[in-house]
Amino acid sequence: MPKYPILKPMRLHLLSRGILLALFGLSPMLSQTADKPKLLVHGHRGARARRPENTLPAFEYAIQQGVDALEMDMAVTRDNVVVISHDPILHGPVCTGPNPSAVIRQLTLAEVRQWDCGAVRNPRFATQQPVPGTRMPTLDDVFQLAPRGTFDYNIETKSFLDKPEYTPPPEEFVRLVLEKIRKYKLEKRIILQSFDFRTLVAMKKIAPEIRLSALTETDQRDFPAIAAEAQAGIISPEFHLVTPAKVAAAHAAGLQVVPWTANTPADWDPLIQAKVDAIISDDPAELIAYLKRRSR
């Protein structure tokens, strides 16, 4: 007789299965956790609740906090330099300078940089820390932050159909932006977003590899209809427009949903439950901390 008993095939199968379950019984749970899509955090204008908006201090702060994307806005100077600004017109409290206000498109970069965009705390954000002496960054400046992490750039063309004097034509605007994207080889890390879908369509024509995001504030249509008009793969609605049904329809159409601008747990919870893909927030550090607490 053999020294050790020979197990019949059925017994051997059951024993093997039992050993595997004992060793790896938790693996389905772990796998589901690992495969669960991460909800991404975009720092709105960097981190407007903590630092002066759309400035290098805001972007640097957001990177340090671990954001998945830096969200920002773009304007163009008279000498065709792409700069980072939400408003086409310089004015307080965001930027203070030699005049009460000035249109960026009518100024050279040198003239824009006479304005201080960090001296005055925005009264809407009690936690914002002023950084006096902060100048408006160029797109070059913010792209030079890329080696500090793997974060994406969610960049908006501030283009106005009813105010053509504020910006270059859509085709020229996106050409200037694409030139910088390719200079820094950031094609895979860029999302171009806009309320002016003309700029998204223009970018699609010359650089179809760039991800596009359709911004909307009041449009009540289903998300796939809006995205189709913009030829975009991402829909970025004002967060009150989000419902679970609209998100599900967007996902079924292969779209991502990235709402703006949600700043409190009362705002975040419905978006999380609706299964959005990312949230744009003025206080990304607080949102990151909140998501970590929820996952415990």
Side-chain angles (χ1 to χ4, degrees):
M1 287 183 64
K3 186 175 180 181
Y4 301 102
I6 298 174
L7 295 173
K8 292 182 179 180
M10 181 58 73
R11 286 185 177 178
L12 183 60
H13 169 75
L14 291 173
L15 179 62
S16 300
R17 189 167 180 233
I19 292 170
L20 288 171
L21 285 172
L23 289 174
F24 303 108
L26 293 178
S27 63
M29 186 185 301
L30 294 173
S31 176
Q32 288 170 9
T33 302
D35 294 340
K36 183 179 179 182
K38 177 189 175 186
L39 196 157
L40 305 180
V41 174
H42 292 210
H44 187 239
R45 307 188 198 179
R48 182 166 61 151
R50 302 289 173 173
R51 299 290 186 274
E53 65 178 68
N54 278 324
T55 64
L56 291 181
F59 299 133
E60 289 167 345
Y61 171 86
I63 293 168
Q64 291 166 2
Q65 303 308 310
V67 296
D68 300 292
L70 297 175
E71 192 274 351
M72 64 192 70
D73 313 273
M74 299 178 292
V76 181
T77 64
R78 191 175 78 207
D79 45 351
N80 280 338
V81 179
V82 181
V83 292
I84 307 304
S85 176
H86 177 268
D87 298 325
I89 300 175
L90 292 168
H91 58 80
V94 175
C95 294
T96 52
N99 300 296
S101 66
V103 176
I104 292 174
R105 185 63 173 158
Q106 296 175 358
L107 303 178
T108 64
L109 177 62
E111 291 169 329
V112 166
R113 290 212 153 146
Q114 294 175 14
W115 292 68
D116 191 330
C117 297
V120 180
R121 180 179 63 80
N122 189 323
R124 291 181 55 193
F125 300 95
T127 53
Q128 188 186 88
Q129 297 179 17
V131 186
T134 299
R135 304 303 163 184
M136 182 179 293
T138 64
L139 192 58
D140 273 295
D141 293 331
V142 296
F143 280 173
Q144 287 168 11
L145 299 174
R148 300 193 187 185
T150 58
F151 52 87
D152 285 340
Y153 289 89
N154 188 0
I155 58 177
E156 180 182 348
T157 47
K158 300 301 289 189
S159 178
F160 308 92
L161 185 62
D162 60 337
K163 296 286 185 181
E165 68 273 18
Y166 285 171
T167 59
E171 294 77 13
E172 183 182 350
F173 200 155
V174 298
R175 181 187 60 78
L176 291 169
V177 172
L178 183 61
E179 181 182 291
K180 299 303 180 183
I181 293 171
R182 289 189 166 153
K183 174 182 175 180
Y184 294 94
K185 298 179 172 58
L186 290 172
E187 289 89 342
K188 293 181 179 179
R189 293 173 61 178
I190 298 296
I191 299 168
L192 183 74
Q193 62 175 352
S194 192
F195 289 98
D196 185 352
F197 296 168
R198 296 176 304 162
T199 61
L200 302 183
V201 172
M203 182 64 88
K204 183 99 169 190
K205 288 179 181 177
I206 61 173
E209 72 276 17
I210 301 296
R211 287 172 288 168
L212 304 176
S213 180
L215 284 163
T216 183
E217 184 170 12
T218 58
D219 196 331
Q220 298 294 324
R221 289 180 295 165
D222 288 340
F223 293 161
I226 300 170
E229 180 185 333
Q231 300 184 22
I234 303 168
I235 178 74
S236 191
E238 197 278 332
F239 77 93
H240 290 102
L241 294 175
V242 172
T243 67
K246 283 187 172 183
V247 174
H251 286 167
L255 302 170
Q256 293 182 315
V257 181
V258 183
W260 56 275
T261 301
N263 290 332
T264 68
D267 299 336
W268 299 329
D269 282 338
L271 301 177
I272 295 168
Q273 291 163 10
K275 299 181 180 179
V276 301
D277 299 281
I279 296 174
I280 300 172
S281 179
D282 286 314
D283 201 350
E286 189 59 34
L287 175 54
I288 290 168
Y290 184 72
L291 293 173
K292 287 179 179 176
R293 290 195 298 270
R294 279 181 58 100
S295 66
R296 288 174 187 163

